[in-house]
Amino acid sequence: MTSNTTRTDFAYDVVLIGGGVMSATLGALLKLLQPDWSIGLFGRLDDVALESSNAWNNAGTGHAALCELNYTPERADGTIDISKAVGVNEAFQISRQFWAYLVESGVIPSPREFINPIPHMSFVWGAENGDYLRRRYEALKDHPLFAGMRFSTDPAQLKQWMPLVMEGRTAGTPLAATWIASGTDVNFGALTHLLVHFLTQQPGFDLKLGHEVEDLTRDASGGWHVAVRDLAGGTKLSVGARFVFIGAGGGALPLLQKTGIPESKGIGGFPVSGQFLRCKNPEVAAHHHAKVYGKASVGAPPMSVPHLDTRIIDGKPGLLFGPYAGFSTKFLKKGSLWDLPCSIGMDNIGAMLAVARDNMALTKYLIQQVMQSNQARLTALRDFVPTARAEDWELIVAGQRVQVIKKDAQKGGVLQFGTEVITGANGSVAALLGASPGASTAVPIMLTVIRKCFASELPRWEPKLKEMIPSFGGTLADRPELCAHVHDWTTRALQLEG
Ligand SMILES: Cc1cc2nc3c(=O)[nH]c(=O)nc-3n(C[C@H](O)[C@H](O)[C@H](O)COP(=O)(O)OP(=O)(O)OC[C@H]3O[C@@H](n4cnc5c(N)ncnc54)[C@H](O)[C@@H]3O)c2cc1C
């Protein structure tokens, strides 16, 4: 839609919608590349990082495919396909490089505030799963991005790697695990705060919290009028922007639909909420130092793989287990129950019905998850912590993920579990949908936004991008020397030595 409105309360080169890690990352990248551009960040809540990016609303895993088995599927001939794992790891290396640059250039004073070294482990039981894990290990161990991975079926070694998981376990069932020291725990909420703090120190940056974006209309010059409500006083503002990034997390889909751009048609969203058990007993939490990922149960979406996670939040170790999936029609944790119904229209209902028809295993899984009792949750926890006592754990509600549903010529509609950047044809608007691998890959995802929307600026920005991210424009897997350099540099700069 094109607006005839001429009144503009504020005008920016760039408007970022949403105060999560994605907007913060794009804002930091753009300020470093083009310091003279004005940027306005609008967030509906009273602080940044209160939705999915908040430390307790996600698992904080620096997803590098070191431990997540869904990135290494088995082919029909029994060999292991590692291509997705390599891609996810490459993406994480881009984030690591940018974060290391931010630390070295003084933008982020102390890396330990947001990233800490925590070994990543995969853990399975049963002979068949153990055999899969051994073959996965064989396929990865000599790859430069997975250097240092170890495999064991020896209970004594497993006990050394994960004492809490081995305690109280009876002999008999074959167990297997891999362990790699280069894993990380990332506090994406702290990272968001650090990036936004940097932005607020820069000229030409405005942070507008408690401001909800309600509508977007194209203006005559190819930019946008963004209709914003100041939630404190109810005042409506009209904000002009040459470029808009819709980084509203679960709230991105409704705003994308409001742009009316052809690329927004036929897209739907399916919300899946998450819950974790959080350990209340510091003695138990101190007994575990790893992120231990298991195998997903049948029908479970990939992001529901159970894991026992050491967290480092505000310098203190914590312990999470989950996620348990839930269902709510809200697109944001602090959203409205009307979010899902209001997102359904003539253009996407066909795709959504096709997905409902074709994903019965997922539907069954979600119903079973929503209906499960505290005792069932404890039973699932005891697969990982056999000695777990109910009184040591509390249930917490994590963030909402809105999975993308897209039209499909053959099936009518498909449900996607990845992340998708949707851009308008003239590059004046971009929206981020989906949530996996998530915040870990915020930097490469925002580089995708930059490539798609600022192609004409790229030749000018490329030297700075290469200074910040030495592997920019290529991959590390085929450049072992650069790979080793990047590993050593980012480990040192981010203080990730063991
Ligand atoms: C249970 C769970 C576990 C996860 N685990 C991991 C993990 O281990 N590792 C990982 O890398 N990723 C993980 N993720 C994914 C990760 O949390 C997300 O990918 C990431 O936080 C998304 O950031 P964002 O900035 O897009 O959205 P958010 O952090 O959700 O921020 C969206 C922002 O937009 C604002 N907003 C919404 N609508 C409007 C509006 N109309 N106007 C103004 N502001 C608006 C919100 O208030 C919020 O500030 C997990 C997610 C969940 C839910």
Side-chain angles (χ1 to χ4, degrees), residues 193-358:
H193 277 278
L194 289 163
L195 293 173
V196 172
H197 176 74
F198 158 71
L199 285 168
T200 56
Q201 308 297 302
Q202 308 308 305
F205 178 82
D206 274 349
L207 177 62
K208 301 273 185 198
L209 296 175
H211 282 67
E212 183 164 42
V213 173
E214 294 186 329
D215 203 1
L216 291 124
T217 45
R218 213 185 265 283
D219 72 17
S221 64
W224 293 90
H225 278 301
V226 184
V228 180
R229 184 186 292 272
D230 176 350
L231 296 175
T235 321
K236 282 194 170 194
L237 303 169
S238 173
V239 178
R242 286 200 299 127
F243 169 77
V244 177
F245 173 62
I246 308 176
L253 177 65
L255 289 172
L256 175 66
Q257 289 170 332
K258 285 188 173 158
T259 63
I261 59 172
E263 294 81 358
S264 69
K265 302 292 175 199
I267 301 178
F270 180 75
V272 178
S273 47
Q275 294 171 327
F276 289 113
L277 282 176
R278 177 167 61 185
C279 185
K280 294 187 285 181
N281 184 336
E283 275 176 37
V284 175
H287 210 42
H288 184 74
H289 187 73
K291 285 177 175 274
V292 180
Y293 274 62
K295 254 194 123 184
S297 44
V298 177
M303 74 281 185
S304 297
V305 171
H307 46 97
L308 183 69
D309 260 283
T310 294
R311 303 297 321 273
I312 308 286
I313 296 173
D314 300 331
K316 291 189 209 92
L319 189 56
L320 281 183
F321 177 75
Y324 302 94
F327 179 74
S328 156
T329 53
K330 291 181 183 182
F331 279 177
L332 291 160
K333 192 169 168 179
K334 296 188 169 81
S336 152
L337 290 170
W338 289 101
D339 287 341
L340 177 61
C342 289
S343 74
I344 302 172
M346 290 308 286
D347 65 305
N348 63 11
I349 190 154
M352 296 187 74
L353 289 174
V355 164
R357 181 197 63 212
D358 295 343

Side-chain angles (χ1 to χ4, degrees), residues 52-292:
S52 289
S53 301
N54 182 271
W56 292 113
N57 285 347
N58 62 71
T61 302
H63 284 303
L66 303 175
C67 56
E68 309 84 339
L69 301 179
N70 51 306
Y71 296 134
T72 45
E74 189 172 350
R75 297 192 189 93
D77 66 358
T79 56
I80 306 295
D81 179 0
I82 65 164
S83 54
K84 197 157 186 203
V86 171
V88 170
N89 193 303
E90 288 274 6
F92 188 62
Q93 300 305 327
I94 292 175
S95 291
R96 269 179 72 134
Q97 290 172 75
F98 183 57
W99 298 338
Y101 170 83
L102 294 179
V103 171
E104 286 204 329
S105 57
V107 169
I108 291 183
S110 160
R112 285 289 173 103
E113 277 181 51
F114 80 95
I115 189 165
N116 283 276
I118 300 289
H120 281 194
M121 296 187 63
S122 308
F123 169 54
V124 295
W125 48 90
E128 205 178 311
N129 288 336
D131 181 49
Y132 159 78
L133 193 65
R134 185 188 49 74
R135 283 179 288 124
R136 176 185 185 270
Y137 163 71
E138 293 292 338
L140 290 174
K141 73 179 174 34
D142 296 324
H143 194 287
L145 291 169
F146 298 87
M149 184 177 279
R150 293 167 63 189
F151 171 83
S152 185
T153 54
D154 173 11
Q157 177 62 78
L158 300 186
K159 195 169 176 190
Q160 204 190 327
W161 285 341
M162 44 177 195
L164 188 63
V165 175
M166 293 303 286
E167 212 172 271
R169 213 169 267 281
T170 46
T173 311
L175 305 174
T178 56
W179 181 96
I180 185 162
S182 56
T184 52
D185 178 69
V186 185
N187 180 338
F188 295 108
L191 176 61
T192 306
H193 277 278
L194 289 163
L195 293 173
V196 172
H197 176 74
F198 158 71
L199 285 168
T200 56
Q201 308 297 302
Q202 308 308 305
F205 178 82
D206 274 349
L207 177 62
K208 301 273 185 198
L209 296 175
H211 282 67
E212 183 164 42
V213 173
E214 294 186 329
D215 203 1
L216 291 124
T217 45
R218 213 185 265 283
D219 72 17
S221 64
W224 293 90
H225 278 301
V226 184
V228 180
R229 184 186 292 272
D230 176 350
L231 296 175
T235 321
K236 282 194 170 194
L237 303 169
S238 173
V239 178
R242 286 200 299 127
F243 169 77
V244 177
F245 173 62
I246 308 176
L253 177 65
L255 289 172
L256 175 66
Q257 289 170 332
K258 285 188 173 158
T259 63
I261 59 172
E263 294 81 358
S264 69
K265 302 292 175 199
I267 301 178
F270 180 75
V272 178
S273 47
Q275 294 171 327
F276 289 113
L277 282 176
R278 177 167 61 185
C279 185
K280 294 187 285 181
N281 184 336
E283 275 176 37
V284 175
H287 210 42
H288 184 74
H289 187 73
K291 285 177 175 274
V292 180

